[in-house]
Amino acid sequence: MTSLAVLQQAITAHATRAAEKLRRHGLVASHMTAFFHTNVFNNTPRDSSSRTARLSPPSNATTALVQTALACAAKAWKGNREGNGFAYTKAGVMLDDLVPEELAPVDLFAHEQAKSGKLSAALDAVNDRWGRKTLILASEGFRQSFATKADIRSPRYTTRLADLPVVRA
């Protein structure tokens, strides 16, 4: 990932998945960290960046987590906007201060939008019924050039029955 746009697509995908998992477990997060780094095993210039932001009030809404993650990524980006940056190979988000939704601290001055909760519930309902990634946010992009390539992956004998070798006599 050498451009900010591709990095933002990857960060959006990770933040969306994190929001789904939070809602599935009935949790909210108070802090989010967005990170990305280059490959340490080749001779290209190295960089590792991350930024942390506070979610006030604590949230599990997809739109709130994605907005926060994109803001963190934009602040940590060390290239220009046209794509002349480091060649980042890994990006992701981490959530901290997870608490059950019903025990989340209430912020007197912050206004959690009711629409974001309904939107997240609708997004989950469609994706549960029709399959993961049926509905996605536009900031995730439709061609995911950041996705890992599994073309030359070795067989997974210990985790997939389909990859077990078959012996015939």
Side-chain angles (χ1 to χ4, degrees), residues 51-133:
R51 291 292 184 276
T52 300
R54 183 171 184 262
L55 295 163
S56 180
S59 181
N60 62 8
T62 300
T63 53
L65 293 179
V66 167
Q67 286 174 349
T68 303
L70 291 178
C72 289
K75 287 180 183 176
W77 178 253
K78 293 181 182 172
N80 61 20
R81 303 289 182 213
E82 288 78 41
N84 298 329
F86 291 94
Y88 293 106
T89 56
K90 185 171 187 174
V93 296
M94 292 185 290
L95 301 171
D96 295 320
D97 297 333
L98 304 179
V99 295
E101 199 167 3
E102 60 275 359
L103 299 178
V106 178
D107 191 343
L108 180 63
F109 300 106
H111 300 289
E112 178 72 21
Q113 297 184 6
K115 289 182 181 180
S116 65
K118 291 179 182 178
L119 177 65
S120 295
L123 190 66
D124 287 344
V126 169
N127 287 335
D128 287 344
R129 179 166 182 189
W130 300 103
R132 245 182 102 219
K133 300 274 186 195

Side-chain angles (χ1 to χ4, degrees), residues 153-168:
R153 179 184 58 220
S154 62
R156 297 168 285 178
Y157 303 120
T158 60
T159 58
R160 290 183 54 133
L161 290 175
D163 288 347
L164 278 173
V166 178
V167 178
R168 297 179 193 207

